[in-house]
């Protein structure tokens, strides 16, 4: 059944949340049973949350239990006045330490599951694929399958791969293939390298996650990746972490330090060609991001359903008095339509009478 949605009537466009996560449906039975799945061991912790583990590393999935079904999520989206969720697997399940066969099977099953969710609700969900990045050749092949066969506009990846930054020559073929395919590469922290010393007060997330994202952005800039791949589409979680808010220091370093001088332009020039989501938890910070990269380079994000996400992203953007009406409209949906090539969704909402499956 279809119906016109109130927010579309009010603003005349789809509201697209570009940063949301899911757990593959195929993993749910083994997860609830505490079994192994493609080399990943599931369990529960003292908080009653699901955990996934590989070797001696265990990660909590910090979401409400039991996990929502895709149909249940649509009701939550409606209540939050969001038309479309762009889904990617929970970063707690970025298991780049799996062996080759398990890694490839895990990626393929995850992406098939995601494609099934999108196929069942094409007006409500869009998928960003997962790559087993410890296997470069396999990742390129899976990226091509995600885009060409499964119709995904891109992938979400970790900010590092087993300690390798994104200026690594081993990872370059993945980025090169993404540019050739016109695919978006969305960078999200997972298992930060500061976790070992940021052990109190949830600082591994509060400080470590923004640090990881800033490191990925800086590696792409100073490593010359953007010079080599000028048409690469990149988006960064959590508004780029400390990357954009610290861009002045990067500019200064480029001017005075020989180690940071080997790029064609200022770092602040490169960030204007990237996209960033709105997860700042601060209107002043968001205003700075918009002023620095431009209002056409910021997409709505919530990190749904994580506890560190923005619970009501639409209400929050609407409450930001420092944002103008056109800026809000661009952030709430128009920018995501352009970045992810979602004209099939955006065109239907141009007159404010779009409908969505419920």
């Amino acid at each position: 059944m279809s119906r016109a949605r109130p927010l579309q009537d009010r603003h005349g466009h789809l509201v697209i949340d570009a940063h949301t996560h899911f757990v593959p449906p195929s993993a749910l039975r083994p997860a609830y049973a505490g079994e192994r799945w493609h080399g990943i061991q599931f369990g529960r912790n003292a908080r009653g949350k699901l955990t996934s583990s590989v070797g001696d590393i265990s990660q909590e999935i910090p979401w409400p239990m039991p996990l929502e079904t895709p149909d249940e999520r649509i009701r939550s989206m409606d209540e939050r006045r969001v038309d479309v969720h762009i889904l990617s697997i929970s970063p707690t399940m970025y298991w780049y330490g799996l062996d080759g066969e398990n890694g490839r099977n895990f990626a393929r099953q995850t992406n098939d599951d995601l494609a099934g969710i999108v196929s069942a609700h094409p007006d409500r969900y869009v998928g960003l694929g997962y790559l087993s990045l410890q296997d470069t050749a396999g990742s390129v092949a899976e990226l091509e399958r995600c885009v060409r066969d499964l119709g995904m506009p891109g992938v979400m990846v970790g900010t590092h791969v087993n300690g390798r930054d994104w200026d690594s020559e081993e990872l370059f073929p993945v980025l090169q293939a993404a540019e050739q395919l016109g695919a978006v590469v969305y960078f999200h922290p997972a298992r930060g390298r500061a976790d070992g010393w940021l052990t109190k007060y949830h600082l591994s997330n509060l400080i470590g996650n923004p640090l990881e994202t800033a490191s990925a952005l800086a590696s792409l800039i100073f490593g010359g990746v953007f010079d080599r791949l000028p048409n690469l589409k990149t988006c960064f979680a959590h508004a780029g972490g400390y990357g954009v808010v610290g861009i002045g220091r990067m500019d200064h370093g480029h001017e005075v330090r020989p180690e940071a001088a080997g790029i064609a332009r200022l770092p602040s020039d490169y960030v204007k060609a990237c996209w960033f989501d709105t997860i700042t938890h601060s209107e002043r910070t968001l205003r700075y991001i918009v002023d620095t990269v431009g209002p056409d380079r910021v997409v709505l994000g919530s990190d749904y359903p994580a506890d560190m996400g923005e619970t009501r992203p639409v209400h929050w953007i609407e409450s930001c008095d420092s944002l103008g009406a056109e800026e809000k409209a661009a952030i709430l949906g128009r920018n995501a339509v352009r970045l992810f090539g979602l004209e099939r969704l955006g065109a239907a909402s141009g007159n404010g009478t779009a409908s969505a499956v419920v």
Side-chain angles (χ1 to χ4, degrees):
M1 181 178 180
S2 296
R3 62 175 174 84
R5 295 178 50 74
L7 189 60
Q8 294 166 343
D9 290 342
R10 180 175 175 183
H11 293 293
H13 59 75
L14 289 172
V15 174
I16 301 173
D17 188 341
H19 181 168
T20 75
H21 299 299
F22 82 111
V23 170
S26 294
L28 291 180
R29 189 200 61 76
Y32 288 133
E35 297 174 352
R36 291 179 70 84
W37 184 72
H38 299 304
I40 301 165
Q41 178 65 54
F42 287 104
R44 293 283 185 105
N45 63 14
R47 294 188 342 128
K49 302 293 186 181
L50 287 176
T51 61
S52 66
S53 306
V54 172
D56 60 355
I57 301 174
S58 181
Q59 290 276 281
E60 177 189 275
I61 301 174
W63 300 353
M65 295 292 293
L67 301 181
E68 288 178 318
T69 67
D71 288 339
E72 290 168 341
R73 179 181 289 216
I74 286 175
R75 291 193 288 273
S76 175
M77 291 162 62
D78 287 345
E79 198 273 329
R80 287 169 171 79
R81 299 165 59 216
V82 174
D83 296 299
V84 178
H85 268 188
I86 298 182
L87 299 171
S88 55
I89 191 174
S90 168
T92 64
M93 296 181 67
Y94 289 6
W95 288 115
Y96 299 143
L98 289 170
D99 64 77
E101 182 178 3
N102 273 321
R104 285 189 294 273
N105 290 340
F106 170 42
R108 190 174 187 90
Q109 182 66 70
T110 293
N111 294 328
D112 286 346
D113 279 12
L114 180 53
I117 293 172
V118 173
S119 178
H121 302 283
D123 296 324
R124 306 308 300 269
Y125 295 127
V126 174
L128 292 178
Y130 170 81
L131 303 180
S132 181
L133 288 165
Q134 64 271 37
D135 173 8
T136 301
S139 290
V140 170
E142 186 64 13
L143 172 61
E144 292 173 346
R145 190 178 80 92
C146 284
V147 174
R148 292 174 176 166
D149 298 343
L150 303 181
M152 296 179 185
V155 292
M156 187 173 272
V157 301
T159 47
H160 71 93
V161 180
N162 299 327
R164 286 178 292 168
D165 284 304
W166 280 95
D167 58 351
S168 166
E169 284 300 317
E170 293 177 67
L171 296 173
F172 185 78
V174 177
L175 301 177
Q176 186 175 43
E179 185 192 51
Q180 292 170 351
L181 291 163
V184 178
V185 182
Y186 203 139
F187 294 87
H188 193 296
R191 277 180 285 288
R193 287 163 284 185
D195 287 1
W197 56 275
L198 292 174
T199 57
K200 297 190 295 184
Y201 317 124
H202 203 45
L203 295 184
S204 59
N205 183 296
L206 306 185
I207 293 175
N209 277 8
L211 177 63
E212 273 293 331
T213 310
S215 179
L217 177 61
S219 296
L220 291 163
I221 292 172
F222 290 113
V225 176
F226 290 136
D227 287 333
R228 297 171 68 184
L229 300 174
N231 297 315
L232 179 65
K233 296 179 182 178
T234 58
C235 189
F236 294 84
H238 314 131
Y242 303 129
V244 179
V245 295
I247 201 66
R249 189 170 181 85
M250 293 191 202
D251 279 353
H252 181 74
H254 171 66
E255 294 293 307
V256 303
R257 296 296 306 188
E259 309 99 306
I263 51 178
R265 295 177 287 156
L266 285 171
S268 56
D269 292 326
Y270 292 98
V271 299
K272 295 172 185 175
C274 304
W275 278 264
F276 303 88
D277 67 34
T278 56
I279 304 172
T280 61
H281 306 291
S282 163
E283 180 178 348
R284 291 181 66 184
T285 304
L286 179 59
R287 180 71 256 176
Y288 178 83
I289 299 293
V290 171
D291 288 341
T292 303
V293 305
D296 61 335
R297 294 283 169 164
V298 179
V299 296
L300 185 68
S302 72
D303 217 343
Y304 184 92
D307 55 9
M308 281 298 296
E310 187 64 51
T311 305
R312 294 186 174 275
V314 177
H315 294 75
W316 182 60
I317 293 299
E318 290 183 338
S319 74
C320 290
D321 294 334
S322 64
L323 296 174
E326 283 301 307
E327 291 174 325
K328 291 178 181 179
I331 290 169
L332 287 172
R334 288 207 307 254
N335 291 343
V337 168
R338 184 165 57 92
L339 171 60
F340 297 101
L342 302 179
E343 288 77 14
R344 68 175 179 83
L345 297 174
S349 63
N351 60 6
T353 59
S355 59
V357 175
V358 264

